[in-house]
Amino acid sequence: MRARRGRVSAITVTTGTALAAVTGLLLTACGGGAPVDTPSDPATGVPAQPDPRGMLAARVAVAKDQRYVAAYTLVVQGKAPRSVLVTVAKDRTWRVDVQGGALGGTADVAIANRPEGVYQCAINPPTGCVRVGATNKKLPASIDPRLQYVFIAWLDVLLDRQVPLAVSPAEPLAGTSAPCFAVEPGVTAVQPPIDAGVFCYNDKGILAAARIPLGQLMLTGEPAPAPDTITLPGPVVTVPPLGTSAPPPPKPSSSSPSAAPSISRSR
């Protein structure tokens, strides 16, 4: 049997190096396994704590790449549950159907975003779609159901480290086991970049639940595959869009009952 020949490199061993090597051998011989180092802050030696904002951003980054059709239930205190259908198409067009999203909850609408603009579409009954703004632009408050931001615009806010946000772990919302995070805007403004709330994303990057001032959203069932593009639920028409507030009650009729004829008594 031939012995293998190899080059032997010269190694200078100091007293400290030898002592460390011997100590390691002794520990191994005594049955001690190699210690597992816990990540720590180099300055203090304290174990590093998980960054809630980073953990949330990691899930939101996955959410931003998802394309799907997902159904949700919106629960508002004192009102019957409403359905919300979210479609994010493969070409990045999107549509959010909101039951009771207009006229004080009495009319169903869809907010649809296409390259030519943002549309508000009446879907119950379907009376057509009105272009209400440029693509990806915020809607006027008087016609804005606001639920679409949860799935679209607020993702960019949660990912932007330049936006001051306070993020902390939160207890899971009822009906979901997905990790939840409480988010509080760090700026005082008339319209902050995101509403304060609790947001829960599953491992697939799908919003599993959210609690916001508008109510609590809950995913119902598994999302379906996304279409290539979204379609408008009706023709484009030129009419005023539906407002979110309930319409004023009808004015009472101006006609008044005629006065009873006087009866003259003859003598």
Side-chain angles (χ1 to χ4, degrees):
M1 180 177 181
R2 293 187 301 174
R4 293 183 179 178
R5 295 183 179 179
R7 296 177 58 187
V8 179
S9 300
I11 302 176
T12 302
V13 181
T14 65
T15 304
T17 305
L19 180 59
V22 172
T23 303
L25 291 173
L26 290 174
L27 289 173
T28 304
C30 294
V36 179
D37 292 333
T38 301
S40 60
D41 186 336
T44 64
V46 177
Q49 299 298 318
D51 173 24
R53 184 163 186 179
M55 295 167 63
L56 174 58
R59 291 180 178 270
V60 172
V62 178
K64 192 171 173 62
D65 289 335
Q66 295 306 307
R67 306 290 181 265
Y68 58 90
V69 179
Y72 292 83
T73 297
L74 175 66
V75 177
V76 180
Q77 188 173 7
K79 297 182 178 180
R82 303 178 187 179
S83 62
V84 177
L85 185 65
V86 181
T87 303
V88 182
K90 295 178 182 178
D91 64 352
R92 295 181 180 269
T93 58
W94 53 264
R95 171 179 157 182
V96 178
D97 296 20
V98 184
Q99 182 184 16
L103 300 182
T106 61
D108 304 341
V109 293
I111 303 299
N113 186 82
R114 291 188 49 81
E116 61 271 19
V118 181
Y119 296 86
Q120 183 209 67
C121 305
I123 53 179
N124 187 22
T127 57
C129 298
V130 184
R131 187 177 182 274
V132 290
T135 183
N136 288 322
K137 294 300 181 181
K138 199 170 185 178
L139 301 183
S142 60
I143 63 171
D144 193 353
R146 292 184 60 79
L147 281 173
Q148 69 273 15
Y149 303 128
V150 180
F151 305 95
I152 309 298
W154 288 356
L155 298 183
D156 291 329
V157 176
L158 294 172
L159 286 173
D160 190 352
R161 286 282 187 168
Q162 301 301 316
V163 178
L165 298 175
V167 179
S168 59
E171 291 294 326
L173 296 178
T176 181
S177 58
C180 299
F181 301 86
V183 177
E184 186 75 31
V187 293
T188 56
V190 177
Q191 282 193 326
I194 187 173
D195 289 350
V198 175
F199 302 88
C200 312
Y201 290 90
N202 62 25
D203 294 339
K204 297 178 182 179
I206 300 297
L207 183 75
R211 186 173 62 220
I212 54 177
L214 292 171
Q216 181 164 317
L217 283 163
M218 186 63 62
L219 179 67
T220 57
E222 286 293 322
D228 292 333
T229 189
I230 64 108
T231 56
L232 298 179
V236 178
V237 295
T238 307
V239 297
L242 300 177
T244 55
S245 301
K251 295 181 179 180
S253 175
S254 58
S255 60
S256 57
S258 57
S262 60
I263 301 176
S264 60
R265 295 182 180 180
S266 59
R267 296 187 179 182

